[in-house]
């Protein structure tokens, strides 16, 4: 075949990039299939690189040669020397996208040539409508080969939904959503669902990171694998918060190094506990959107995480010179696509605008872009007064509440929390009804409050009569 329809150098360079930098494998495997390589031995090498990566083994020259030899396919793949030469032509994985797009473009050219050639001979001897339909169908297959496009037929839809109904029946009574340890919120949401994007919004210093970490702690207790991608805090800062929550030793004491014998015992017991848990932290500062997506895929493939927390949307870097709102929009759309691809819930923290300061927050306060709210399945707004005193005072708890302001598949409402500020722990308040009543009364006039209490007293009296 004319070389205009394939590029051997790009195929070799792409394989070399993958072997030199496994971080680029996630992006490549989501867009490119082995059949897009023109040269058969490159298809084989590509498949074996992916198999190594998916099983958690670093794909390099040595590991690739080993599995190919064990399979008796080393010569079909070009031999050990050929594989070793793949990495001598590239400096690393930085140009992987360029080579990948070249391979895809040539694969599309070959597919298009085959389609047009097959139908060229039919022109004049077959119905033009049928020819056009066949060409359109084949071109759609070519263009959709590099994306996740899927159009379901009625039969496929019915079959798939029947399987879904059977699964629900067979798993009745088994927890399906990811329940994050706040009972009222868990009842309202039935747990965070696979493929959902959950936004937690708050003003600075109200506790959105602490709330995310509290949720992760609750999940760890149930042995649910969690991922945490932080563009704001280092892994040591996150661990300090977690250790503080578990040991009830405040962060300043932990950082000071001045431990009592009892505190030292608690601290090392806590680190031993976390060593046995399933949680994974990416602390990349100024993380790019592409790197975040790659990290999330890596956590899902290699560690089997069931949920990922991202702290926070505003710190994710997007290439280009567009306005901030456009970049935030790109992030929110990508997170939704990522949640659907990985089939897990993604919880993304977000700052609220200054107009929310001192007021009950609403959806319009989410900073950056309206698309954050539009693309989210759940939006949780954390509210409370900022504590301006030293945390070591007479009242160790701050009152907080979260409003489930958007719930695509269920009810909205408010949940009241207690925030133990010394140890940055969130727990659900035990007096939900009393605090709900207090909130409601704040918005009533004196006359309306009196009417409310009169009705309440009358209802209480009727209940007493029924008991008697």
């Amino acid at each position: 075949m004319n070389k205009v329809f394939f590029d051997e150098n790009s195929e070799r360079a792409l394989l070399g990039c993958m072997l030199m930098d496994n971080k680029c494998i996630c992006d490549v495997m989501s867009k490119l299939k082995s059949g897009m390589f023109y040269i058969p031995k490159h298809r084989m090498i590509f498949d074996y690189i992916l198999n190594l990566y998916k099983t958690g083994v670093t794909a390099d020259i040595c590991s690739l040669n080993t599995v190919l030899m064990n399979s008796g396919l080393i010569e079909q793949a070009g031999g050990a020397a050929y594989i070793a030469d793949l990495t001598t032509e590239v400096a690393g994985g930085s140009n992987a996208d360029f080579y990948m797009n070249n391979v895809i473009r040539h694969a599309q050219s070959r597919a298009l040539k085959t389609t047009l050639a097959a139908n060229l001979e039919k022109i004049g001897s077959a119905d033009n409508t049928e020819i056009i339909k066949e060409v359109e169908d084949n071109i759609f297959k070519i263009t959709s080969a590099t994306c996740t496009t899927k159009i379901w037929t009625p039969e496929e839809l019915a079959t798939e939904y029947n399987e879904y109904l059977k699964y629900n029946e067979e798993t009745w009574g088994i927890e399906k959503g990811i329940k994050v340890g706040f009972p009222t919120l868990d009842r309202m949401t039935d747990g965070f669902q696979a493929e959902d994007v959950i936004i937690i919004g708050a003003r600075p210093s109200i506790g959105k990171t602490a709330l995310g970490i509290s949720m992760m702690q609750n999940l760890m207790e149930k042995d649910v694998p969690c991922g945490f991608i932080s563009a704001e805090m280092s892994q040591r800062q996150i661990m300090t918060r977690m250790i503080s929550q578990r040991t009830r030793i405040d962060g300043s004491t932990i950082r000071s190094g001045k431990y009592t014998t009892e505190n030292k015992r608690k601290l090392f017991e806590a680190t031993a506990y976390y060593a046995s848990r399933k949680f994974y932290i990416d602390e990349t500062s100024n993380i790019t959107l592409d790197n975040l997506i790659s990290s999330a895929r890596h956590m899902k493939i290699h560690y089997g995480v069931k949920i990922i927390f991202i702290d926070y949307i505003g710190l994710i870097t997007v290439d280009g010179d567009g306005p901030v709102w456009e970049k935030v929009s790109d992030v929110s759309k990508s997170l939704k696509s990522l949640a659907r691809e990985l089939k897990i819930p993604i919880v993304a923290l977000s700052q609220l605008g200054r107009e929310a300061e001192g007021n009950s927050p609403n959806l319009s306060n989410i900073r950056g872009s309206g698309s954050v709210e539009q693309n989210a399945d759940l939006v949780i707004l954390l509210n409370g007064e900022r504590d301006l005193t030293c945390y070591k005072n007479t009242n160790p708890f701050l009152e907080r509440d979260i409003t489930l302001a958007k719930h695509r598949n269920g009810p909205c409402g408010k949940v009241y929390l207690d925030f133990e500020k010394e140890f940055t722990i969130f727990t659900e308040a035990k007096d939900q009804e009393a605090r709900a009543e207090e909130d409601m009364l704040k918005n009533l006039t004196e006359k309306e409050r009196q009417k409310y209490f009169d009705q309440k007293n009358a209802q209480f009296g009727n209940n007493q009569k029924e008991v008697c």
Side-chain angles (χ1 to χ4, degrees):
M1 179 176 284
N2 191 311
K3 284 196 175 183
V4 73
F5 292 107
F6 72 97
D7 182 348
E8 182 177 0
N9 290 333
S10 287
E11 293 190 6
R12 286 171 56 87
L14 178 58
L15 295 173
C17 287
M18 294 168 71
L19 288 170
M20 291 191 74
D21 184 1
N22 280 194
K23 289 180 182 177
C24 69
I25 294 177
C26 266
D27 288 333
V28 173
M29 67 189 286
S30 68
K31 299 174 184 175
L32 191 146
K33 307 294 183 289
S34 62
M36 293 179 179
F37 286 91
Y38 177 73
I39 299 171
K41 60 187 174 187
H42 292 168
R43 297 176 197 161
M44 181 182 296
I45 292 170
F46 179 78
D47 283 336
Y48 272 86
I49 289 174
L50 294 194
N51 288 340
L52 284 167
Y53 182 74
K54 289 176 182 177
T55 54
V57 178
T58 299
D60 54 26
I61 294 171
C62 184
S63 61
L64 180 60
N65 278 333
T66 299
V67 294
L68 286 169
M69 284 182 195
N70 291 341
S71 302
L73 298 171
I74 188 68
E75 294 307 319
Q76 285 181 245
Y82 183 82
I83 292 171
D85 283 343
L86 294 174
T87 58
T88 63
E89 300 173 12
V90 291
S94 58
N95 287 329
D97 275 352
F98 174 79
Y99 301 128
M100 176 182 67
N101 290 331
N102 239 4
V103 172
I104 291 172
R105 181 169 59 83
H106 283 88
Q108 289 175 335
S109 295
R110 293 195 303 273
L112 190 58
K113 178 178 183 291
T114 301
T115 294
L116 295 176
N119 286 280
L120 189 61
E121 297 176 358
K122 298 179 183 178
I123 296 175
S125 60
D127 181 51
N128 286 342
T129 304
E130 289 300 316
I131 295 173
I132 292 170
K133 182 178 182 301
E134 186 174 342
V135 170
E136 286 178 342
D137 287 346
N138 285 327
I139 289 175
F140 177 76
K141 289 175 184 177
I142 293 167
T143 56
S144 63
T146 57
C147 65
T148 55
T149 299
K150 167 64 177 173
I151 298 177
W152 295 74
T153 66
E155 293 81 7
E156 290 173 328
L157 288 166
T159 300
E160 193 279 335
Y161 207 81
N162 281 339
E163 292 300 318
Y164 171 69
L165 294 175
K166 288 177 186 175
Y167 170 78
N168 285 346
E169 184 179 20
E170 291 166 359
T171 58
W172 179 86
I174 298 174
E175 187 175 299
K176 296 185 181 72
I178 304 290
K179 296 193 174 178
V180 292
F182 297 93
T184 304
L185 179 65
D186 287 334
R187 282 195 297 273
M188 292 167 70
T189 62
D190 199 27
F192 294 168
Q193 303 296 315
E195 303 186 17
D196 277 359
V197 171
I198 301 96
I199 299 296
I200 298 178
R203 288 292 292 142
S205 300
I206 298 299
K208 61 182 179 296
T209 300
L211 180 58
I213 292 175
S214 292
M215 289 178 174
M216 188 166 72
Q217 292 265 49
N218 295 336
L219 293 171
M220 274 190 253
E221 291 283 352
K222 298 189 291 185
D223 212 29
V224 176
C226 304
F228 198 99
I229 300 175
S230 175
E232 184 174 41
M233 299 170 65
S234 69
Q235 54 83 15
R236 188 169 293 172
Q237 290 173 314
I238 295 169
M239 283 296 295
T240 297
R241 289 203 177 192
M242 292 167 59
I243 295 285
S244 178
Q245 289 181 0
R246 184 160 185 83
T247 61
R248 292 299 200 275
I249 300 171
D250 66 83
S252 62
T253 299
I254 293 173
R255 287 187 290 271
S256 74
K258 189 176 180 180
Y259 311 141
T260 64
T261 302
E262 178 62 13
N263 279 353
K264 187 175 179 180
R265 179 189 64 79
K266 287 181 179 179
L267 290 170
F268 283 100
E269 280 183 357
T271 57
Y273 165 80
Y274 287 118
S276 68
R277 299 294 89 186
K278 298 174 182 176
F279 71 106
Y280 309 90
I281 296 174
D282 181 336
E283 61 167 2
T284 306
S285 60
N286 297 319
I287 191 168
T288 65
L289 179 57
D290 288 342
N291 286 341
L292 183 145
I293 291 170
S294 179
S295 178
R297 286 172 177 157
H298 189 87
M299 287 181 178
K300 170 67 174 176
I301 292 169
H302 291 284
Y303 304 124
V305 298
K306 301 293 185 184
I307 185 170
I308 291 175
F309 295 83
I310 299 171
D311 186 17
Y312 62 91
I313 282 182
L315 294 179
I316 300 169
T317 303
V318 179
D319 293 334
D321 300 321
V324 171
W325 67 264
E326 192 174 273
K327 294 182 178 182
V328 174
S329 177
D330 289 343
V331 171
S332 68
K333 290 174 184 175
S334 297
L335 292 183
K336 184 57 186 172
S337 297
L338 185 64
R340 293 184 65 180
E341 174 193 333
L342 302 183
K343 294 182 170 50
I344 61 173
I346 291 179
V347 182
L349 310 185
S350 175
Q351 282 198 0
L352 300 181
R354 289 186 179 89
E355 62 274 12
E357 192 71 49
N359 301 307
S360 294
N362 57 57
L363 292 173
S364 66
N365 298 140
I366 296 173
R367 180 177 284 181
S369 171
S371 69
V372 175
E373 176 263 322
Q374 291 167 13
N375 292 315
D377 298 281
L378 284 82
V379 177
I380 297 169
L381 303 176
L382 176 63
N383 185 38
E385 293 184 8
R386 186 176 285 105
D387 183 33
L388 300 177
T389 65
C390 174
Y391 64 78
K392 288 186 175 178
N393 58 28
T394 54
N395 181 15
F397 292 96
L398 295 173
E399 290 188 355
R400 294 279 188 266
D401 61 69
I402 52 176
T403 300
L404 185 51
K406 177 184 178 182
H407 187 190
R408 200 185 295 277
N409 299 305
C412 296
K414 185 174 282 190
V415 181
Y416 297 90
L417 307 176
D418 287 325
F419 180 47
E420 198 170 355
K421 54 194 173 183
E422 189 173 358
F423 312 120
T424 65
I425 300 173
F426 275 97
T427 53
E428 185 169 311
K430 295 180 173 61
D431 56 343
Q432 293 288 317
E433 290 185 11
R435 293 206 7 212
E437 182 180 62
E438 183 182 343
D439 255 5
M440 181 268 295
L441 291 172
K442 287 178 185 176
N443 298 317
L444 299 181
T445 65
E446 185 62 37
K447 187 175 181 180
E448 289 171 331
R449 279 197 292 271
Q450 187 59 52
K451 182 179 180 181
Y452 169 78
F453 283 119
D454 288 345
Q455 291 174 339
K456 188 175 181 180
N457 290 333
Q459 182 64 41
F460 179 75
N462 291 334
N463 290 342
Q464 290 293 94
K465 290 177 183 178
E466 289 177 11
V467 170
C468 292

